[in-house]
Amino acid sequence: MTTVVKCPTCGKGVVWGEVSPHRPFCSKRCQLIDLGEWADEEKRIPSNGDLNESDEWSEEQHDRERD
């Protein structure tokens, strides 16, 4: 039985197997589009502990919070 998934970029059907070297993407182009979106921070993994650019973080502060 062949598994087919949708390309996350364009929605085209992609066979999940050795015949699709860029899976889950349908092509290198769609793979690079997705990578660019992550690099431009258009996509991100949500987190409750996100730091803003204005937030300061140091190893010393981190060590004190662990103690």
Side-chain angles (χ1 to χ4, degrees):
M1 183 164 128
T2 303
T3 302
V4 178
V5 298
K6 287 186 179 181
C7 173
T9 304
C10 70
K12 180 180 176 183
V14 179
V15 174
W16 191 266
E18 295 295 319
V19 296
S20 303
H22 305 293
R23 63 187 177 275
F25 305 97
C26 66
S27 65
K28 185 70 172 177
R29 178 181 178 272
C30 281
Q31 187 181 47
L32 291 174
I33 289 170
D34 185 76
L35 177 62
E37 290 171 349
W38 282 100
D40 288 340
E41 296 184 357
E42 294 173 26
K43 293 184 178 181
R44 55 182 282 188
I45 298 171
S47 169
N48 292 335
D50 284 345
L51 294 175
N52 295 328
E53 288 183 19
S54 63
D55 291 339
E56 292 187 23
W57 186 90
S58 72
E59 288 186 22
E60 291 172 2
Q61 179 182 4
H62 179 72
D63 289 342
R64 279 182 283 175
E65 291 174 358
R66 285 193 309 178
D67 293 336

